[in-house]
Amino acid sequence: MRITAHRSTSALRRPGRLLAAALTVVVAVTGGAAVPAHAAPAAERDRDPRPYRALHLGSYASSRSLALNDRGQVLNGTAIWQNGRFEPLSLPSEARGFFGVDINERGVVAGRVPSPVTGYYEAAVWDRGEVTLLGPASRVSDAYSINDHNTVVGFAEGLRGADDTFVWRDGVMSWVQTNDIYHGSPAFINNWEDIVVQWNSNWNPVRCVCYGARYHQGERTLLGTLGHQSFNEPADVNNRREIVGYSHTAEGVERPYLWRDGVIRDLGTLGGPSGRAVAVSDRGEVIGHADTAEGERRPFLWRDGRMFDLTTLGLRATDEVVDINIWGQIAGIRDGRAMLFSRH
């Protein structure tokens, strides 16, 4: 049950329950059997992607504020691009503000609000003008990701100085893991309720022994590395249960990866030594940034085993790619401003 924060017709709401018990964790070595993904558009017959056209959305943006859904809605912190313009998120009169970081297919946004209790912020969800506070009000918290069932993952300030990863569903907040002070806060969730995090095995703020991990129904599966002893930083998970991010090689070089069915794969680069993957669509297309042989870092698109230099497809070397949807649209940043790149 959820109750209103003020006993009126307020649209600012706070859930009535908090489940403080930690989830049971069982360590697994590999993921489970593959399962079908939801329906996706048929793959294009030509393997080479079509060129992109750039649409300037006008407002300033950061990678933390941009998100894109399969309806083509672009979230930029306090507004959603739709119908050819940014429309500010409408808020109840008692709300002190709202900053969104992720948007699902329903147009529901996960983010945070300023907190009068802590002086910082509190995780919240925005849905058609109503803001739901996720709590607990006494702890600094922030949301990172929301799936299409409105389940949210994020972090809340822990009791011993570090932060705790949480999952919030149906008005109840549960703890997933305790993180390192400096590592492990970002978390991502798909419609299978796979929760993807960075897990520090020794809780050491000086040296992070950081593994990528997936939690599902209380079971933790480590994602492995590309040769390094431990380092793996996930960046996204899709509804095909594929995970992308970057890991270190045995030599300590950053490389983009795709994890699927218990196997981690080095996606390569554009000819240089390093790169990072930042997002994956429900078609399995991956975007990120990688070095060329000349030492320039450029945005890339990876699909069907091939990496494409996006500067050959209409983007600039300085463009930052942030998110990609099932239609291949890419939300990004050019010269500090929000962009939407769509295929011709």
Side-chain angles (χ1 to χ4, degrees):
M1 176 180 179
R2 292 187 297 175
I3 59 175
T4 57
H6 306 285
R7 297 193 181 278
S8 64
T9 57
S10 168
L12 184 66
R13 302 168 65 87
R14 181 179 300 283
R17 292 187 295 163
L18 171 65
L19 182 63
L23 298 180
T24 301
V25 174
V26 178
V27 176
V29 177
T30 60
V35 292
H38 69 66
E44 295 172 313
R45 293 185 181 275
D46 57 318
R47 289 179 59 85
D48 291 342
R50 299 190 303 275
Y52 281 85
R53 62 177 181 271
L55 176 64
H56 292 260
L57 304 187
S59 63
Y60 287 100
S62 70
S63 59
R64 185 74 173 94
S65 67
L66 278 185
L68 172 68
N69 66 15
D70 292 342
R71 296 164 58 188
Q73 293 176 306
V74 181
L75 171 71
N76 186 18
T78 60
I80 296 175
W81 174 271
Q82 54 190 359
N83 304 319
R85 65 184 186 276
F86 269 118
E87 299 178 2
L89 300 178
S90 58
L91 300 176
S93 59
E94 67 272 30
R96 296 161 57 104
F98 180 89
F99 184 86
V101 297
D102 196 21
I103 184 170
N104 68 14
E105 301 312 317
R106 299 179 177 184
V108 181
V109 177
R112 62 179 183 262
V113 297
S115 170
V117 178
T118 67
Y120 291 96
Y121 42 84
E122 179 180 349
V125 167
W126 177 92
D127 185 5
R128 291 168 294 183
E130 179 180 286
V131 175
T132 300
L133 307 178
L134 308 190
S138 60
R139 297 165 66 177
V140 176
S141 61
D142 198 358
Y144 269 97
S145 180
I146 184 170
N147 69 13
D148 296 333
H149 309 298
N150 293 346
T151 303
V152 179
V153 291
F155 81 90
E157 182 181 45
L159 299 179
R160 60 174 183 170
D163 57 62
D164 296 322
T165 298
F166 71 77
V167 56
W168 183 90
R169 62 171 69 84
D170 300 325
V172 179
M173 181 179 283
S174 306
W175 307 121
V176 178
Q177 68 171 15
T178 295
N179 304 317
D180 182 275
I181 291 177
Y182 303 118
H183 300 84
S185 292
F188 310 93
I189 190 168
N190 61 13
N191 288 344
W192 295 94
E193 301 216 347
D194 295 323
I195 300 170
V196 177
V197 298
Q198 191 178 56
W199 175 67
N200 185 5
S201 63
N202 67 348
W203 198 75
N204 185 337
V206 178
R207 179 178 180 271
C208 181
V209 183
C210 292
Y211 297 88
R214 182 192 69 180
Y215 287 87
H216 184 73
Q217 296 180 347
E219 180 179 288
R220 182 174 62 222
T221 300
L222 301 184
L223 305 182
T225 72
L226 296 176
H228 193 266
Q229 178 184 2
S230 65
F231 195 84
N232 179 315
E233 184 167 314
D236 198 14
V237 59
N238 66 12
N239 289 317
R240 291 158 42 135
R241 310 188 82 175
E242 297 168 322
I243 300 167
V244 299
Y246 76 96
S247 178
H248 288 175
T249 65
E251 295 75 29
V253 179
E254 296 178 355
R255 302 279 286 198
Y257 73 78
L258 171 70
W259 184 95
R260 178 195 297 137
D261 298 334
V263 178
I264 187 170
R265 174 179 183 174
D266 187 336
L267 298 185
T269 68
L270 295 172
S274 65
R276 294 185 177 190
V278 300
V280 59
S281 76
D282 285 343
R283 288 184 64 183
E285 292 185 311
V286 182
I287 56 171
H289 304 88
D291 296 335
T292 66
E294 294 74 31
E296 185 178 38
R297 179 149 290 203
R298 295 181 181 177
F300 72 76
L301 169 73
W302 182 96
R303 77 178 196 191
D304 299 329
R306 299 174 63 192
M307 181 176 287
F308 299 90
D309 183 342
L310 283 172
T311 66
T312 67
L313 296 169
L315 275 70
R316 300 175 184 172
T318 55
D319 288 340
E320 181 179 1
V321 293
V322 178
D323 204 358
I324 182 170
N325 68 13
I326 206 166
W327 307 106
Q329 292 179 304
I330 296 173
I333 301 170
R334 174 177 290 177
D335 300 327
R337 293 185 178 272
M339 303 287 296
L340 182 63
F341 302 102
S342 300
R343 289 170 179 158
H344 286 294

